[in-house]
Amino acid sequence: MSKTKDLTIKDVRVIVSSPGRNFVTLKIVTECGIHGIGDATVNGREMAVASYLQEHVAPCLIGRNAHEIEDIWQYLYKGVYWRKGPINMACIAAVDVALWDIKGKVAGLPVYELLGGKSRRAVTTYAHANGETIEGTLDSAEALIAQGFKAIRLQTAVPGLEGTYGVLGDKKDYYEQQSSRPLPPEQPWSTRKYMNSIEALFREARDRFGDDIALTHDVHSRLTPIEAARLGKMLEPYDLLFLEDAVAAENQDSYRIIRDHTTTPLAIGEIYNTIWDCKELIQNQWIDYIRTATTHAGGITGVRRIADFAALFHVRIAPHGAPDLSPICYAAQAHLGLWAPNFGIQEFVGFGNEVSDTVFSHDLTLKDGMIHVGDSPGLGVDFDEEAAAAHPYKRSYLPVSRLEDGTLWSW
Ligand code: CS2
Ligand code: MG
């Protein structure tokens, strides 16, 4: 069937829109009229990706055969000379995912079938419970458990610190925090205050919900390896599914220190762009979950490579799923999650909001805390350019963190 269709790429469009928050969307159109879409959003640096795509990537795609996903991936990776990097890899990711979408549509099959078919019924997720107090956080967790979620991430405000990661107070998101000042909001950090308050959250969670519910926590790279080792030990009695981003690991060796001291499972990877960023973490079995996202780590092709490598070392995938990942990314990761033999869990904060629903349509559904993928050919997600045009890009930044004496810290 595909032989009769002309899959020469004739148009590549880059659309930056803000339906509730900024997204960079790539649309690849072929001569026969079949199109595919990809997500290239890099939160807070959207225009860098858009111009890289528009100016440098799009011209190289015109006239190419959309079926040649691997060759186009290599052409954009090896061929660019400047390897890796968040902007470059998000652009490769958007192209890759759009091409998988096209291939699925041409084959008349959902992408997970092209990857090797289903390994499970649906994709288990974990949801976020946040609160200004432990009680508030656990009330929010209880509501999620009532909706059917079997795994919950718990984040609660650190007493004495204004604006803890994951807790937004009276603000809906970081965009609202910047309405009067479009610059990175600044938030204080104290490791001592955090370490003195965090155990109670998990103690009370286990007291209230028992042992069946899976719990995770995101440290957002605020600790040093030895502090993270102490935290892992401290939380061992509460049996976390994983402790996320305990330490930033540009130096992957750091995780050996944590691993030497604790049996709390470890997860990392949401800001990684390639397999090279996590190679040692995986092959030394210093982590348990790798959280690379299709949007930031070279698309379905990039994350599939990481997943296959990770499987050799008992590491499972748990892709990043924050609100800055568009529904296209959610769909791509749902297809991967349905296939990957070593899938662990998918982070999930909803498929979007009322505004983004007018721009993105998709055939994913959530039931009992699991994402079910429809049987539409390709990714099963689409993007309405006209609706997007009603929501122009608006500059926005992620917050930064400072110690109480003003020293810049990891946010
Ligand atoms: C995160 C995100 O979801 C997560 O685990 O760490 O909140 C992250 O801070 C944002 O996606 C950054 O863009
Ligand atoms: Mg995180």
Side-chain angles (χ1 to χ4, degrees):
M1 183 170 76
S2 65
K3 288 203 182 72
T4 62
K5 297 207 159 82
D6 185 354
L7 289 179
T8 308
I9 297 174
K10 77 162 185 207
D11 192 14
V12 178
R13 295 209 278 280
V14 184
I15 307 107
V16 186
S17 61
S18 193
R21 65 171 311 120
N22 292 327
F23 291 120
V24 181
T25 305
L26 181 75
K27 185 165 179 176
I28 296 181
V29 187
T30 59
E31 286 289 352
C32 70
I34 292 180
H35 73 270
I37 52 175
D39 175 32
T41 310
V42 176
N43 201 359
R45 292 294 184 270
E46 296 85 356
M47 299 313 272
V49 204
S51 105
Y52 190 112
L53 276 171
Q54 191 73 63
E55 194 53 36
H56 305 292
V57 175
C60 302
L61 297 176
I62 305 295
R64 307 269 324 225
N65 177 358
H67 259 326
E68 294 171 4
I69 301 178
E70 188 62 52
D71 186 62
I72 291 175
W73 199 99
Q74 299 294 341
Y75 182 72
L76 294 174
Y77 184 80
K78 292 182 180 155
V80 73
Y81 187 65
W82 310 108
R83 296 179 187 219
K84 311 198 284 183
I87 306 298
N88 179 39
M89 294 309 291
C91 294
I92 295 178
V95 173
D96 180 80
V97 168
L99 296 181
W100 277 102
D101 190 22
I102 290 172
K103 198 183 276 296
K105 286 175 181 171
V106 174
L109 292 169
V111 167
Y112 67 79
E113 294 289 11
L114 307 181
L115 293 169
K118 284 186 190 184
S119 296
R120 55 193 55 77
R121 277 182 289 115
V123 174
T124 301
T125 69
Y126 69 90
H128 290 188
N130 313 311
E132 291 298 323
T133 60
I134 291 180
E135 203 192 351
T137 305
L138 298 186
D139 288 347
S140 130
E142 189 167 294
L144 292 165
I145 294 168
Q147 287 169 42
F149 287 99
K150 310 280 186 300
I152 319 269
R153 186 185 90 163
L154 299 178
Q155 305 293 138
T156 204
V158 176
L161 289 185
E162 186 78 18
T164 307
Y165 164 76
V167 183
L168 286 157
D170 59 348
K171 300 284 190 285
K172 178 167 100 285
D173 53 31
Y174 301 122
Y175 286 57
E176 268 192 5
Q177 285 181 329
Q178 293 165 70
S179 50
S180 58
R181 189 167 172 263
L183 283 174
E186 303 222 345
Q187 296 178 343
W189 177 251
S190 156
T191 297
R192 179 166 294 277
K193 289 186 172 127
Y194 168 72
M195 293 292 255
N196 286 340
S197 62
I198 188 67
E199 188 181 356
L201 173 63
F202 286 89
R203 191 189 319 117
E204 290 182 34
R206 282 289 172 225
D207 284 351
R208 185 155 155 186
F209 304 126
D211 293 333
D212 281 350
I213 193 86
L215 299 175
T216 81
H217 177 65
D218 191 347
V219 184
H220 231 243
S221 308
R222 308 285 169 92
L223 301 179
T224 64
I226 203 68
E227 289 164 352
R230 186 162 83 84
L231 177 63
K233 277 172 82 166
M234 192 196 285
L235 296 180
E236 271 172 28
Y238 314 106
D239 185 24
L240 267 60
L241 179 70
F242 58 69
L243 187 63
E244 174 183 337
D245 286 349
V247 174
E250 281 94 333
N251 173 10
Q252 298 180 37
D253 232 26
S254 302
Y255 270 66
R256 180 180 12 184
I257 299 174
I258 315 176
R259 202 57 153 182
D260 277 351
H261 290 93
T262 180
T263 57
T264 292
L266 303 169
I268 192 168
E270 66 182 47
I271 66 166
Y272 292 167
N273 314 128
T274 70
I275 199 164
W276 302 104
D277 298 330
C278 44
K279 177 174 163 282
E280 284 126 64
L281 289 171
I282 292 172
Q283 75 186 15
N284 289 306
Q285 303 183 63
W286 289 331
I287 59 169
D288 301 277
Y289 293 88
I290 180 69
R291 293 189 19 83
T292 40
T294 53
T295 300
H296 300 128
I300 290 173
T301 300
V303 176
R304 182 185 57 173
R305 266 197 256 289
I306 294 172
D308 274 338
F309 177 64
L312 304 182
F313 301 98
H314 305 280
V315 175
R316 293 192 275 172
I317 63 166
H320 188 203
D324 48 299
L325 299 163
S326 91
I328 305 170
C329 176
Y330 261 121
Q333 296 187 160
H335 285 270
L336 262 171
L338 210 50
W339 156 75
N342 57 329
F343 169 76
I345 198 157
Q346 173 63 55
E347 181 180 20
F348 181 76
V349 290
F351 293 119
N353 53 50
E354 279 163 33
V355 189
S356 64
D357 282 352
T358 65
V359 172
F360 295 96
S361 51
H362 60 81
D363 72 351
L364 303 171
T365 46
L366 185 85
K367 199 167 162 259
D368 293 332
M370 297 174 104
I371 296 174
H372 293 256
V373 182
D375 52 13
S376 315
L379 291 172
V381 56
D382 217 343
F383 177 76
D384 182 333
E385 279 181 75
E386 247 171 65
H391 306 285
Y393 164 73
K394 111 175 173 216
R395 183 161 59 229
S396 166
Y397 294 95
L398 280 164
V400 298
S401 215
R402 289 186 188 278
L403 300 185
E404 289 168 295
D405 70 358
T407 308
L408 196 94
W409 205 244
S410 301
W411 173 69

